[in-house]
Amino acid sequence: MAALDAARALLREFPVVDGHNDLPWALRKQAGYDLAALDIAGDQHEHLHTDLPRLRAGGVGAQYWSVYVPAEQPEPVAATLEQIDCVRRLLDRYPAELAPALTAADMEAARRDGRIASLMGAEGGHSIANSLGTLRGLYALGVRYMTLTHNSNVDWADSATDAPRTGGLSAFGREVVREMNRLGMLVDLSHVAATTMRDALDAASAPVVFSHSSARAVCDHPRNIPDDVLERLPANGGVAMVTFVPKFVLQAAVDWTAAADENMRAHGLHHLDTSPEAMRIHRAFEERVPRPVATVSTVADHLDHMREAAGIDHLGIGGDYDGTAFTPDGLNDVSGYPNLLAELLERGWSTADLAKLTWQNAVRVLGAAEDVARDLQATRAPSLATIEALDGTTG
């Protein structure tokens, strides 16, 4: 109890900057963007991890709202614009709680005002449709990071969960990274293949982020970060934001998920099928083989390792709430962050360590990207490169 009280006291001064929350997509799927029908001013929505009372209870002071659309979404650019519109309407609807933020200074101003700084991150390079002009348009609309891929490759970058095609970043992919640096948009390396991580670090002149990824040495999943990449973060200045998704943090959950997916395929179904028949088969499997449960301690194990590999100045938090069906015990929704900090305090983390983890590192990395952008904009014009010219292909 003492550790939990100390965690809550720390969060009042240094609240959590969470790198990734999929509430906008959940609002699309569950309410067709009808914000009155799914009012997050209320508490404990059955099918959401996120609402304003629980953000407050969790000590969240800044949130990157993911403006995600699936790679297979028809007209992905238009759908991404709808996601951006959703975030803007949330800010208009709850101005006393949510503060629009574009810069590190905006984040600090929101903290002083007692509001939750609200930033946006685009999840997947498919959202720019191979267009640097579209990338600049997203930045102009407030997007402050872009994850280079989602679960599938894009024409210019390999994903962690797709068959290798480019071998990392193509020439156009490197140009995307350089243009993001010129803009001041953070390069997000969650979801990308390890080869893409390394290529992006080679190409980047500004700090990178991993908005929601954990340590591959602790849980061997391709969505996680290898140690050699973590070890490069001090030289780059970037931040790795630990995620909570059980199948990325608990090896038993990785193995269980693989077995459950194989069971679906054995019945002639896609592993992501959510039809009634597919769900019946899935539930029967789960009754025979209970799902392994991650805990707060599971996530803390990742942070302990990531601190050893990258150093305390290069860690953050990216829970992936409302982007996952399952969460660890004790981190059931956005109110759970104090439980993680209490666990880390009991493991010997100092309050100075935790202030860096929750607030300071994430604010620093955005500010550093802004500094690099000011220098680059003084010497470099917007890139007019095309994928056809650099890679000779459109996929």
Side-chain angles (χ1 to χ4, degrees):
M1 183 60 71
L4 189 58
D5 289 343
R8 288 174 174 147
L10 181 138
L11 287 169
R12 285 192 286 273
E13 184 174 3
F14 297 105
V16 168
V17 180
D18 184 276
H20 193 87
N21 184 301
D22 278 300
L23 177 65
W25 188 254
L27 291 172
R28 171 184 170 128
K29 294 291 286 184
Q30 296 184 33
Y33 293 132
D34 185 342
L35 304 187
L38 204 55
D39 185 358
I40 63 167
D43 197 6
Q44 300 291 325
H45 286 292
E46 180 182 0
H47 299 297
L48 290 178
H49 296 141
T50 308
D51 51 48
L52 296 175
R54 284 184 286 180
L55 285 167
R56 290 299 191 189
V60 176
Q63 181 66 67
Y64 278 93
W65 302 108
S66 176
V67 289
Y68 158 80
V69 301
E72 63 276 10
Q73 180 76 24
E75 303 293 339
V77 176
T80 302
L81 296 179
E82 290 176 357
Q83 287 275 279
I84 292 170
D85 177 69
C86 176
V87 174
R88 288 184 160 186
R89 290 194 299 114
L90 284 171
L91 298 179
D92 289 343
R93 186 176 176 86
Y94 306 108
E97 297 287 339
L98 302 178
L102 300 175
T103 65
D106 291 342
M107 296 171 75
E108 292 289 8
R111 180 170 70 130
R112 290 192 296 272
D113 291 345
R115 294 193 290 167
I116 299 167
S118 292
L119 305 101
M120 290 184 283
E123 189 174 21
H126 56 277
S127 290
I128 65 168
N130 296 337
S131 165
L132 296 178
T134 301
L135 175 71
R136 289 187 284 271
L138 293 185
Y139 182 84
L141 290 172
V143 174
R144 287 301 178 264
Y145 75 64
M146 184 175 73
T147 322
L148 298 186
T149 74
H150 190 239
N151 290 336
S152 303
N153 298 335
V154 293
D155 290 333
W156 42 270
D158 282 348
S159 168
T161 47
D162 201 351
R165 185 172 65 188
T166 303
L169 285 177
S170 72
F172 183 75
R174 292 189 291 274
E175 191 70 8
V176 170
V177 169
R178 286 190 285 266
E179 187 65 7
M180 291 174 72
N181 289 167
R182 193 194 66 82
L183 289 168
M185 183 186 288
L186 292 166
V187 175
D188 178 21
L189 300 180
S190 287
H191 278 286
V192 307
T195 51
T196 306
M197 298 175 193
R198 297 176 188 119
D199 282 356
L201 284 165
D202 290 343
S205 54
V208 303
V209 295
F210 291 83
S211 66
H212 57 308
S213 294
S214 296
R216 194 173 300 188
V218 179
C219 180
D220 188 15
H221 191 286
R223 271 282 282 105
N224 288 334
I225 314 167
D227 275 2
D228 72 285
V229 175
L230 287 169
E231 289 163 2
R232 292 185 63 177
L233 288 181
N236 168 265
V239 170
M241 308 179 92
V242 70
T243 195
F244 303 165
V245 180
K247 67 179 180 180
F248 301 154
V249 298
L250 181 65
Q251 191 63 50
V254 174
D255 300 338
W256 185 92
T257 300
D261 291 350
E262 181 57 36
N263 178 67
M264 294 287 275
R265 287 189 288 268
H267 286 82
L269 298 168
H270 189 275
H271 68 280
L272 296 179
D273 192 340
T274 58
S275 66
E277 174 63 10
M279 289 297 94
R280 183 189 67 77
I281 291 169
H282 187 78
R283 284 192 294 271
F285 177 83
E286 192 164 356
E287 287 176 5
R288 296 194 307 273
V289 186
R291 178 186 297 274
V293 177
T295 66
V296 173
S297 180
T298 309
V299 176
D301 289 345
H302 282 265
L303 282 169
D304 278 342
H305 180 83
M306 293 162 76
R307 184 172 66 165
E308 290 179 9
I312 187 59
D313 294 321
H314 304 283
L315 303 184
I317 296 172
D320 203 8
Y321 285 115
D322 286 306
T324 178
F326 303 99
T327 55
D329 276 0
L331 296 169
N332 306 78
D333 55 44
V334 296
S335 68
Y337 300 100
N339 297 328
L340 177 59
L341 269 61
E343 173 72 18
L344 294 172
L345 283 168
E346 290 176 345
R347 293 181 180 214
W349 287 49
S350 69
T351 54
D353 292 339
L354 295 181
K356 291 180 176 182
L357 173 72
T358 58
W359 182 263
Q360 293 172 340
N361 291 343
V363 175
R364 172 189 58 78
V365 78
L366 182 58
E370 294 165 18
D371 292 341
V372 170
R374 276 191 292 271
D375 291 341
L376 291 177
Q377 288 169 21
T379 59
R380 185 186 302 172
S383 175
L384 302 181
T386 65
I387 192 168
E388 294 88 349
L390 291 181
D391 293 347
T393 181
T394 57

